[in-house]
């Protein structure tokens, strides 16, 4: 049966009433020809149409608000629309009904995008900037669910979108037709509903907790998105000017990083290593034990460490935004800002080492599977991506290779070779990337070889779908993945580090909401490890905690503030530090 109501009625007349106007709503003419079954079917379709419209209006854009009270409210939008449609002639009425249905379908699609983005990235969907991330999502599905699974997901989403764009207008038209079968009753109901809504709104009545009875959340959603679009467009121009302001842009090479001359410096990002790893009761015990053991082992090898917190510009994903924020000293929380800064000549931390001419700068990026022009922006002399590291083992879901292998390859290709200059290395460790299954295991470093040894380990690992769909399992395996990444890095330092080794390692962002929790902070741990005590003496006034684990009350800085602090701490001590450029407020 079509969602359109099939009935014949007289044309609209000015003030004239008909018998039809006073008849109660009933199935369309002919609806009883086959008895009560047609009556049941007609009302079932009508109720489903009403339910679809109601869900589209009331569905929250975040699973955290999937509660009964979110749906036990009176929306203003259908009352306003009903009032308009009751006074329109038939033809304009149908046009408005169809357009309203299409608009409501688009609202529902936007809410579904919001749900996905809030779950994975901790924020709503940006209608200006985020379309490109859908390609990344499809690539992620290919890596985790395989080509067939990714294709099925894409087809399913396309079908869902098309179905909503067809079914929602039909549902609205059906309800409007039902309303006009008895306009007097519909008019009275609209007036009563409007009066109740205004009364509840004026009195601020609340049904459950602090949830207001009267709501206009759909109008509010549209107003919010319009404001975001305006803010995004305004931000593009403002950020372009901000990029040009750099307190260190004109510092002479011989005045940069004088406190680290002769040191091999490693900047390592641990994927999704966030505050949740150290503070969530379901995750922290294992990670804490790993950090404590690694602190002791490093101490025996002559290394010391200090740790603090940084607030990342991203959450749950888009790791490159965190990397670029940390390395450039700019708050890069969206793709447009990333494109703007990487297209310029901003001095990055690796770029500062490169400018001095005193270091060879190297990047190890096993998560990159294609050409990576950003390596030139960062100031790297040599970039090793997944194709350059000689790995012959299996992928571990999204991660192209285990962290221990990536570090072993780094030792073989760069760190273990003789150099006429010390190394500055930027390394991205990916084994703690979701969906955290299957996971690699630590093996003897002499057995790593070309990575073939990992085939049996990957085969015996857990199914990513089983882990990712279960919040409890996801937390457990996430914790294990962080332990593995930390052990890979700290054992590398113990085994291959020396008196001139300095390591700065940090998380790029918190894990997704299913693990870190809805509304979690964007904080990530950061640690500096050094054999030479003078290196840590330079940051003694930072107030950081001793060891690999920052205490809860350790300082929390925005991630974009680190570059200037680092360059100041390790610059000449006899000169006043440059004045840092202004940065936008932390969202």
């Amino acid at each position: 049966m079509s969602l359109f109501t099939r009935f014949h009625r007289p044309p609209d007349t000015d003030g004239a009433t008909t018998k039809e106007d006073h008849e109660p709503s009933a199935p369309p003419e002919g609806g009883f020809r086959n008895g009560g079954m047609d009556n049941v079917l007609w009302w079932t379709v009508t109720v489903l149409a009403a339910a679809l419209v109601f869900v589209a209006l009331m569905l929250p854009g975040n699973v955290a608000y999937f509660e009964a009270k979110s749906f036990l409210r009176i929306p203003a939008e259908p009352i306003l629309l009903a009032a308009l449609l009751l006074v329109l002639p038939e033809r304009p009425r149908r046009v408005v009904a169809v357009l309203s249905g299409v608009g409501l379908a688009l609202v529902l699609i936007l809410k579904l995008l919001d749900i996905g983005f809030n779950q994975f990235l901790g924020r709503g969907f940006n209608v200006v900037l985020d379309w490109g991330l859908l390609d990344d999502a499809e690539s992620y599905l290919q890596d985790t669910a395989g080509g067939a699974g990714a294709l099925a997901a894409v087809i399913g989403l396309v079908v869902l979108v098309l179905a909503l764009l067809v079914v929602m207008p039909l549902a609205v038209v059906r309800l409007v037709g039902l309303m006009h079968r008895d306009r007097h009753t519909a008019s009275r109901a609209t007036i009563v509903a409007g009066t109740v809504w205004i009364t509840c709104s004026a009195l601020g009545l609340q049904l459950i907790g602090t949830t207001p009875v009267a709501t206009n959340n759909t109008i509010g959603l549209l107003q919010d998105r319009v404001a975001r679009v305006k803010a995004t467009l305004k931000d593009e121009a403002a950020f372009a000017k901000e990029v040009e302001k750099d307190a260190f842009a004109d510092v002479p090479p011989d005045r940069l990083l004088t406190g680290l001359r002769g040191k091999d410096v490693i900047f390592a990002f641990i994927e999704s290593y966030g505050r949740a790893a150290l503070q969530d009761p379901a995750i922290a015990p294992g990670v804490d034990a790993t950090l404590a053991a690694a602190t002791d082992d490093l101490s025996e090898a002559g290394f010391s460490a200090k740790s603090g917190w940084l607030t990342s510009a991203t959450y749950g994903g888009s790791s490159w935004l965190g990397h670029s924020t940390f390395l450039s000293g700019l708050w890069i929380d969206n793709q447009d800002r990333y494109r703007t800064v990487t297209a310029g000549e901003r001095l990055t931390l690796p770029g500062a080492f490169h400018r001095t001419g005193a270091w060879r700068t190297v990047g190890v990026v096993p998560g990159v599977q294609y050409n990576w022009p950003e390596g030139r922006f960062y100031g790297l002399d040599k970039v090793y991506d997944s194709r350059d590291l000689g790995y012959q083992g299996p992928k571990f879901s999204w991660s192209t290779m285990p962290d221990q292998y990536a570090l072993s390859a780094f030792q073989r290709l760069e760190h273990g070779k003789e150099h006429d200059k010390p190394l500055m290395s930027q390394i991205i460790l990916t084994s703690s990337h979701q969906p955290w299954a299957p996971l690699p295991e630590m093996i003897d470093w002499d057995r790593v070889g070309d990575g073939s040894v990992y085939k049996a380990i990957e085969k015996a690992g857990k199914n990513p779908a089983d882990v990712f769909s279960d919040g409890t399992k996801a937390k457990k395996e996430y914790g294990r993945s962080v332990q593995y990444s930390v052990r890979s890095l700290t054992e590398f330092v113990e085994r291959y580090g020396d008196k001139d080794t300095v390591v700065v390692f940090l998380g790029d962002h918190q894990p997704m909401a299913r693990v870190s929790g809805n509304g979690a902070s964007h904080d990530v741990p950061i640690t500096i490890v050094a054999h030479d005590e003078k290196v840590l003496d330079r940051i003694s006034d930072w107030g950081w905690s001793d060891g690999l684990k920052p205490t809860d009350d350790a300082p929390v800085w925005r991630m974009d503030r680190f570059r200037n602090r680092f360059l100041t701490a390790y610059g000449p001590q006899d000169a006043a530090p440059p004045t840092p450029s202004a940065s936008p407020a932390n969202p």
Side-chain angles (χ1 to χ4, degrees):
M1 175 182 291
S2 170
L3 284 175
F4 281 108
T5 52
R6 294 179 289 110
F7 59 91
H8 302 286
R9 61 181 307 280
D12 291 336
T13 57
D14 295 333
T17 59
T18 67
K19 178 181 179 181
E20 184 184 53
D21 290 329
H22 297 282
E23 288 177 351
S25 297
E29 190 176 320
F32 295 102
R33 289 177 182 174
N34 296 320
M37 184 59 68
D38 279 353
N39 188 22
V40 171
L41 181 59
W42 189 91
W43 280 109
T44 298
V45 174
T46 302
V47 170
L48 289 175
L52 179 62
V53 170
F54 183 78
V55 168
L57 288 167
M58 304 305 295
L59 183 71
N62 192 322
V63 295
Y65 302 109
F66 278 20
E67 302 174 341
K69 62 183 181 181
S70 296
F71 298 90
L72 297 177
R73 297 185 290 170
I74 303 173
E77 296 81 8
I79 299 173
L80 295 173
L81 183 61
L84 173 63
L85 293 173
L86 281 169
V87 300
L88 287 177
E90 182 174 8
R91 185 167 297 176
R93 182 172 69 241
R94 282 186 173 271
V95 171
V96 171
V98 171
L99 292 177
S100 299
V102 172
L104 196 55
L106 294 175
V107 166
L108 181 54
I109 292 168
L110 177 59
K111 289 184 177 183
L112 293 175
L113 287 169
D114 277 348
I115 291 171
F117 271 67
N118 277 310
Q119 275 294 93
F120 285 87
L121 301 180
R123 61 174 177 81
F125 180 77
N126 188 310
V127 297
V128 177
L129 302 175
D130 286 341
W131 297 105
L133 294 181
L134 299 181
D135 288 338
D136 294 321
E138 193 269 340
S139 297
Y140 171 73
L141 283 173
Q142 287 186 358
D143 291 330
T144 56
L151 180 61
V154 170
I155 292 175
L157 288 173
V158 171
V159 170
L160 174 62
V161 169
L162 294 177
L164 286 175
L165 290 172
V166 172
V167 174
M168 192 69 75
L170 294 177
V172 174
V173 168
R174 183 180 189 87
L175 295 176
V176 171
L178 177 63
M179 181 178 67
H180 270 267
R181 288 187 61 79
D182 190 346
R183 284 183 296 177
H184 288 295
T185 300
S187 297
R188 288 193 295 269
T190 301
I191 293 172
V192 170
T195 302
V196 171
W197 190 95
I198 292 173
T199 302
C200 292
S201 179
L203 297 178
L205 295 182
Q206 298 170 350
L207 182 62
I208 301 176
T210 59
T211 302
V213 174
T215 179
N216 60 343
N217 61 339
T218 300
I219 294 174
L221 173 68
L222 297 177
Q223 291 174 332
D224 173 72
R225 292 316 152 95
V226 170
R228 288 193 193 186
V229 169
K230 292 179 179 178
T232 298
L233 297 177
K234 184 178 179 180
D235 179 71
E236 292 179 10
F239 184 69
K241 294 180 179 179
E242 183 184 345
V243 171
E244 298 174 357
K245 301 176 182 179
D246 187 352
F248 287 89
D250 298 322
V251 175
D254 62 351
R255 304 289 288 176
L256 285 170
L257 300 163
T258 56
L260 291 172
R261 297 299 170 102
K263 304 297 184 185
D264 284 323
V265 181
I266 297 173
F267 290 98
F269 294 93
I270 296 180
E271 169 68 36
S272 301
Y273 178 37
R275 187 182 279 268
L278 307 184
Q279 294 186 344
D280 189 302
I283 305 168
V287 175
D288 287 350
T290 297
L291 292 173
T295 297
D296 292 341
D297 292 342
L298 286 171
S299 179
E300 290 183 9
F303 290 90
S304 300
K306 285 188 176 294
S307 301
W309 300 101
L310 298 179
T311 301
S312 177
T314 186
Y315 170 97
S318 300
S319 300
W320 58 92
L321 302 182
H323 303 164
S324 55
T325 294
F326 177 81
L327 297 173
S328 73
L330 292 166
W331 188 258
I332 304 174
D333 60 350
N334 62 59
Q335 192 64 18
D336 188 68
R337 284 188 166 216
Y338 180 78
R339 286 192 294 264
T340 298
V341 72
T342 55
E345 297 180 353
R346 175 77 176 187
L347 182 68
T348 64
L349 282 176
F353 283 87
H354 177 82
R355 180 186 289 184
T356 67
W359 279 272
R360 172 174 166 79
T361 56
V362 173
V364 179
V365 287
V368 174
Q369 302 179 51
Y370 307 99
N371 292 337
W372 193 54
E374 287 91 333
R376 185 177 298 106
F377 160 75
Y378 284 120
L380 300 173
D381 295 318
K382 173 67 178 178
V383 173
Y384 295 92
D385 62 30
S386 61
R387 301 165 297 179
D388 304 317
L389 297 172
Y391 184 61
Q392 299 299 314
K395 290 180 67 175
F396 283 77
S397 191
W398 183 90
S399 183
T400 59
M401 64 192 69
D403 291 343
Q404 187 181 9
Y405 178 86
L407 291 165
S408 179
F410 168 61
Q411 173 66 17
R412 169 171 47 85
L413 295 169
E414 286 285 348
H415 189 264
K417 291 184 176 181
E418 293 291 333
H419 293 98
D420 57 353
K421 299 177 182 179
L423 283 176
M424 191 298 311
S425 308
Q426 174 184 327
I427 302 176
I428 315 297
L429 301 178
T430 62
S431 290
S432 49
H433 194 289
Q434 61 194 31
W436 308 299
L439 291 177
E441 298 174 359
M442 291 299 298
I443 60 176
D444 189 284
W445 288 84
D446 293 329
R447 293 182 56 221
V448 172
D450 65 359
S452 299
V453 67
Y454 291 104
K455 292 179 181 178
I457 297 175
E458 188 273 340
K459 187 176 181 180
K462 292 181 172 61
N463 187 316
D466 293 340
V467 170
F468 202 60
S469 60
D470 187 313
T472 301
K473 291 181 180 178
K475 284 192 174 190
K476 178 180 178 181
E477 298 307 307
Y478 162 73
R480 290 184 59 222
S481 74
V482 170
Q483 294 174 51
Y484 171 80
S485 294
V486 169
R487 285 188 61 194
S488 296
L489 182 59
T490 56
E491 286 190 18
F492 173 86
V493 175
E494 294 168 35
R495 184 180 180 91
Y496 299 115
D498 58 29
K499 61 183 179 61
D500 290 322
T501 299
V502 177
V503 179
V504 181
F505 74 91
L506 67 153
D508 47 20
H509 55 72
Q510 282 263 57
M512 61 178 291
R514 177 171 295 174
V515 171
S516 60
N518 290 303
S521 76
H522 287 209
D523 295 348
V524 299
I526 179 170
T527 298
I528 298 180
V529 179
H531 198 286
D532 185 350
E533 293 183 1
K534 294 179 181 178
V535 172
L536 296 182
D537 288 343
R538 290 249 181 171
I539 63 168
S540 58
D541 61 343
W542 285 7
W544 283 17
S545 311
D546 292 329
L548 300 183
K549 178 185 177 182
T551 58
D552 291 349
D553 59 351
V556 181
W557 304 338
R558 283 170 30 138
M559 190 175 275
D560 59 331
R561 303 291 171 81
F562 181 83
R563 189 206 68 157
N564 284 9
R565 288 180 179 268
F566 186 87
L567 292 176
T568 299
Y570 293 103
Q573 298 295 291
D574 58 346
T579 302
S581 58
S583 296
N586 189 11

